[in-house]
């Protein structure tokens, strides 16, 4: 087993402590650098950086950044969701490490979602109900994986489906 344990820490976003979502960081007991290119393949593709090693994944509107000794997860509903995602990641890390001889490591970073593709589907009313100051900022945050279609209550059902479909090209299922 590569990753045996971690210590979880929860915190509020520094930019706006009034936001409902929380972030978490897991401080890892072991260094997971060597599994990241294999995990990049196993989980369908993320943004891999060789030095210092990191892998960023977008999953259900959350941004998950894996580093040698830390894992960051943002936009969580609560601590229970953090526990579920961290447990899933630990399982994936260890299973991928066990099977690494069967996996072709990927050092690739796919193109990120395009902000303008997201913006053109938004209502562009700048109503702020999503917690962002403008639709453009929301689009930037969605391109980063921080926001998702469910965060904009003004989206039409048609555009919500289109946005889910578009962002789905960059997402993975937990
Ligand atoms: S809730 Fe939707 S329409 Fe309102 S500012 Fe956010 S993205 Fe724009």
């Amino acid at each position: 087993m590569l990753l045996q344990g971690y210590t979880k820490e929860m915190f509020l976003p520094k930019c706006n402590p009034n936001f409902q979502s929380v972030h978490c960081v897991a401080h890892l007991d072991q260094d997971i650098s060597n599994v990241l290119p294999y995990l990049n393949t196993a989980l369908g593709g993320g943004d891999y950086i060789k030095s210092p090693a990191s892998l960023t994944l977008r999953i259900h509107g959350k941004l998950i950044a894996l580093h040698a000794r830390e894992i960051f997860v943002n936009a969580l509903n609560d601590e229970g969701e953090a526990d579920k995602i961290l447990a899933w990641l630990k399982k994936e890390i260890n299973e991928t490490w066990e099977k690494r001889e069967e996996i072709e490591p990927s050092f690739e970073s796919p193109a990120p979602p395009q902000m303008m593709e997201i913006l053109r589907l938004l209502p562009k009313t700048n109503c702020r109900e999503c917690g962002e100051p403008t639709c453009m900022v929301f689009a930037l945050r969605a391109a980063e994986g921080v926001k998702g279609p469910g965060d904009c209550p003004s989206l039409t059902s048609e555009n919500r489906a289109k946005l889910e479909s578009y962002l789905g090209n960059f997402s993975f299922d937990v």
Side-chain angles (χ1 to χ4, degrees):
M1 181 182 288
L2 176 64
L3 178 59
Q4 293 175 18
Y6 52 83
T7 305
K8 181 187 68 193
E9 184 184 345
M10 306 293 299
F11 56 96
L12 288 167
K14 278 186 187 161
C15 56
N16 188 343
N18 295 323
F19 280 174
Q20 297 297 311
S21 63
V22 292
H23 301 341
C24 88
V25 55
H27 302 281
L28 311 181
D29 293 347
Q30 285 75 34
D31 185 328
I32 62 165
S33 304
N34 291 339
V35 77
L36 296 182
Y38 297 95
L39 211 53
N40 196 16
T41 300
L43 294 181
D47 296 337
Y48 176 75
I49 295 173
K50 190 173 182 185
S51 181
S54 72
L55 177 64
T56 303
L57 307 170
R58 294 169 183 82
I59 301 174
H60 286 322
K62 299 177 198 337
L63 204 62
I64 298 179
L66 300 104
H67 299 266
R69 285 280 186 169
E70 288 169 322
I71 297 174
F72 296 89
V73 187
N74 74 0
L76 293 156
N77 294 322
D78 51 36
E79 191 166 353
E81 188 176 33
D83 288 336
K84 181 183 166 199
I85 290 176
L86 290 175
W88 172 75
L89 284 168
K90 180 171 180 259
K91 178 174 80 67
E92 290 293 331
I93 287 166
N94 287 325
E95 287 181 359
T96 300
W97 186 246
E98 291 302 319
K99 290 190 261 174
R100 65 189 181 282
E101 291 188 0
E102 305 160 27
I103 299 171
E104 184 72 29
S106 169
F107 300 92
E108 302 291 328
S109 287
Q114 297 301 301
M115 186 271 283
M116 291 307 293
E117 288 297 311
I118 298 168
L119 183 62
R120 72 183 182 81
L121 297 171
L122 299 179
K124 292 182 274 297
T125 57
N126 300 327
C127 71
R128 300 182 170 215
E129 286 186 50
C130 56
E132 302 296 346
T134 64
C135 294
M136 185 173 285
V137 175
F138 179 97
L140 282 168
R141 303 282 281 164
E144 294 169 356
V146 176
K147 292 286 183 179
D151 295 313
C152 173
S154 304
L155 265 178
T156 63
S157 54
E158 182 185 353
N159 281 2
R160 186 181 306 279
K162 285 181 181 174
L163 188 54
E164 282 171 357
S165 172
Y166 178 67
L167 292 176
N169 293 319
F170 309 94
S171 302
F172 315 97
D173 290 329
V174 177

mmCIF file of all heavy atoms in Angstrom, residues 71-86:
data_model
loop_
_atom_site.group_PDB
_atom_site.id
_atom_site.type_symbol
_atom_site.label_atom_id
_atom_site.label_comp_id
_atom_site.label_asym_id
_atom_site.label_seq_id
_atom_site.Cartn_x
_atom_site.Cartn_y
_atom_site.Cartn_z
ATOM 1 N N ILE A 71 -3.243 16.709 -0.431
ATOM 2 C CA ILE A 71 -4.353 16.703 -1.386
ATOM 3 C C ILE A 71 -5.308 17.826 -0.976
ATOM 4 O O ILE A 71 -5.723 17.895 0.187
ATOM 5 C CB ILE A 71 -5.117 15.365 -1.378
ATOM 6 C CG1 ILE A 71 -4.197 14.225 -1.810
ATOM 7 C CG2 ILE A 71 -6.339 15.443 -2.286
ATOM 8 C CD1 ILE A 71 -4.837 12.846 -1.689
ATOM 9 N N PHE A 72 -5.645 18.699 -1.930
ATOM 10 C CA PHE A 72 -6.588 19.786 -1.679
ATOM 11 C C PHE A 72 -7.896 19.474 -2.409
ATOM 12 O O PHE A 72 -7.872 19.072 -3.575
ATOM 13 C CB PHE A 72 -6.049 21.120 -2.208
ATOM 14 C CG PHE A 72 -4.799 21.586 -1.504
ATOM 15 C CD1 PHE A 72 -3.541 21.199 -1.952
ATOM 16 C CD2 PHE A 72 -4.878 22.415 -0.391
ATOM 17 C CE1 PHE A 72 -2.382 21.623 -1.311
ATOM 18 C CE2 PHE A 72 -3.722 22.847 0.257
ATOM 19 C CZ PHE A 72 -2.481 22.452 -0.198
ATOM 20 N N VAL A 73 -9.020 19.696 -1.728
ATOM 21 C CA VAL A 73 -10.334 19.556 -2.360
ATOM 22 C C VAL A 73 -11.139 20.793 -2.013
ATOM 23 O O VAL A 73 -11.212 21.176 -0.837
ATOM 24 C CB VAL A 73 -11.092 18.304 -1.864
ATOM 25 C CG1 VAL A 73 -12.369 18.110 -2.679
ATOM 26 C CG2 VAL A 73 -10.221 17.060 -1.926
ATOM 27 N N ASN A 74 -11.737 21.421 -3.037
ATOM 28 C CA ASN A 74 -12.485 22.645 -2.742
ATOM 29 C C ASN A 74 -13.980 22.460 -2.969
ATOM 30 O O ASN A 74 -14.429 21.409 -3.429
ATOM 31 C CB ASN A 74 -11.946 23.834 -3.555
ATOM 32 C CG ASN A 74 -12.352 23.727 -5.006
ATOM 33 O OD1 ASN A 74 -13.015 22.784 -5.413
ATOM 34 N ND2 ASN A 74 -11.964 24.701 -5.786
ATOM 35 N N ALA A 75 -14.754 23.491 -2.607
ATOM 36 C CA ALA A 75 -16.196 23.563 -2.850
ATOM 37 C C ALA A 75 -16.938 22.354 -2.301
ATOM 38 O O ALA A 75 -17.791 21.772 -2.962
ATOM 39 C CB ALA A 75 -16.467 23.748 -4.347
ATOM 40 N N LEU A 76 -16.645 21.985 -1.077
ATOM 41 C CA LEU A 76 -17.326 20.848 -0.439
ATOM 42 C C LEU A 76 -18.561 21.335 0.316
ATOM 43 O O LEU A 76 -18.573 22.441 0.856
ATOM 44 C CB LEU A 76 -16.371 20.171 0.542
ATOM 45 C CG LEU A 76 -15.175 19.470 -0.100
ATOM 46 C CD1 LEU A 76 -14.035 19.353 0.900
ATOM 47 C CD2 LEU A 76 -15.584 18.102 -0.624
ATOM 48 N N ASN A 77 -19.577 20.472 0.370
ATOM 49 C CA ASN A 77 -20.784 20.830 1.125
ATOM 50 C C ASN A 77 -20.542 20.731 2.628
ATOM 51 O O ASN A 77 -21.038 21.540 3.402
ATOM 52 C CB ASN A 77 -21.947 19.912 0.740
ATOM 53 C CG ASN A 77 -22.360 20.141 -0.698
ATOM 54 O OD1 ASN A 77 -22.368 21.275 -1.163
ATOM 55 N ND2 ASN A 77 -22.676 19.073 -1.401
ATOM 56 N N ASP A 78 -19.805 19.717 3.034
ATOM 57 C CA ASP A 78 -19.578 19.509 4.468
ATOM 58 C C ASP A 78 -18.421 18.523 4.671
ATOM 59 O O ASP A 78 -17.848 18.006 3.712
ATOM 60 C CB ASP A 78 -20.851 18.965 5.136
ATOM 61 C CG ASP A 78 -21.414 17.752 4.414
ATOM 62 O OD1 ASP A 78 -20.603 16.941 3.918
ATOM 63 O OD2 ASP A 78 -22.635 17.618 4.336
ATOM 64 N N GLU A 79 -18.128 18.238 5.925
ATOM 65 C CA GLU A 79 -17.007 17.363 6.250
ATOM 66 C C GLU A 79 -17.263 15.931 5.788
ATOM 67 O O GLU A 79 -16.336 15.209 5.421
ATOM 68 C CB GLU A 79 -16.762 17.403 7.766
ATOM 69 C CG GLU A 79 -15.469 16.745 8.168
ATOM 70 C CD GLU A 79 -15.057 17.073 9.594
ATOM 71 O OE1 GLU A 79 -15.710 17.919 10.242
ATOM 72 O OE2 GLU A 79 -14.069 16.470 10.045
ATOM 73 N N GLY A 80 -18.532 15.523 5.809
ATOM 74 C CA GLY A 80 -18.865 14.168 5.364
ATOM 75 C C GLY A 80 -18.489 13.949 3.910
ATOM 76 O O GLY A 80 -17.984 12.878 3.527
ATOM 77 N N GLU A 81 -18.731 14.974 3.086
ATOM 78 C CA GLU A 81 -18.367 14.871 1.680
ATOM 79 C C GLU A 81 -16.852 14.804 1.520
ATOM 80 O O GLU A 81 -16.325 14.066 0.690
ATOM 81 C CB GLU A 81 -18.941 16.051 0.905
ATOM 82 C CG GLU A 81 -18.770 15.897 -0.592
ATOM 83 C CD GLU A 81 -19.425 17.014 -1.388
ATOM 84 O OE1 GLU A 81 -19.459 18.158 -0.900
ATOM 85 O OE2 GLU A 81 -19.879 16.737 -2.495
ATOM 86 N N ALA A 82 -16.132 15.573 2.347
ATOM 87 C CA ALA A 82 -14.654 15.527 2.316
ATOM 88 C C ALA A 82 -14.177 14.113 2.649
ATOM 89 O O ALA A 82 -13.288 13.574 1.974
ATOM 90 C CB ALA A 82 -14.087 16.531 3.312
ATOM 91 N N ASP A 83 -14.758 13.502 3.675
ATOM 92 C CA ASP A 83 -14.354 12.140 4.072
ATOM 93 C C ASP A 83 -14.575 11.158 2.931
ATOM 94 O O ASP A 83 -13.734 10.292 2.660
ATOM 95 C CB ASP A 83 -15.143 11.696 5.306
ATOM 96 C CG ASP A 83 -14.677 12.429 6.558
ATOM 97 O OD1 ASP A 83 -13.519 12.887 6.581
ATOM 98 O OD2 ASP A 83 -15.478 12.557 7.494
ATOM 99 N N LYS A 84 -15.723 11.293 2.264
ATOM 100 C CA LYS A 84 -16.053 10.366 1.179
ATOM 101 C C LYS A 84 -15.048 10.505 0.028
ATOM 102 O O LYS A 84 -14.527 9.514 -0.494
ATOM 103 C CB LYS A 84 -17.475 10.676 0.680
ATOM 104 C CG LYS A 84 -17.940 9.779 -0.432
ATOM 105 C CD LYS A 84 -19.329 10.201 -0.907
ATOM 106 C CE LYS A 84 -19.637 9.526 -2.230
ATOM 107 N NZ LYS A 84 -20.713 10.177 -2.958
ATOM 108 N N ILE A 85 -14.750 11.738 -0.364
ATOM 109 C CA ILE A 85 -13.835 11.966 -1.486
ATOM 110 C C ILE A 85 -12.417 11.535 -1.126
ATOM 111 O O ILE A 85 -11.721 10.898 -1.934
ATOM 112 C CB ILE A 85 -13.890 13.443 -1.928
ATOM 113 C CG1 ILE A 85 -15.244 13.714 -2.585
ATOM 114 C CG2 ILE A 85 -12.757 13.770 -2.895
ATOM 115 C CD1 ILE A 85 -15.478 15.154 -2.985
ATOM 116 N N LEU A 86 -11.963 11.839 0.075
ATOM 117 C CA LEU A 86 -10.606 11.444 0.468
ATOM 118 C C LEU A 86 -10.468 9.923 0.549
ATOM 119 O O LEU A 86 -9.436 9.365 0.153
ATOM 120 C CB LEU A 86 -10.227 12.097 1.805
ATOM 121 C CG LEU A 86 -10.008 13.614 1.749
ATOM 122 C CD1 LEU A 86 -9.760 14.167 3.144
ATOM 123 C CD2 LEU A 86 -8.851 13.971 0.818
#
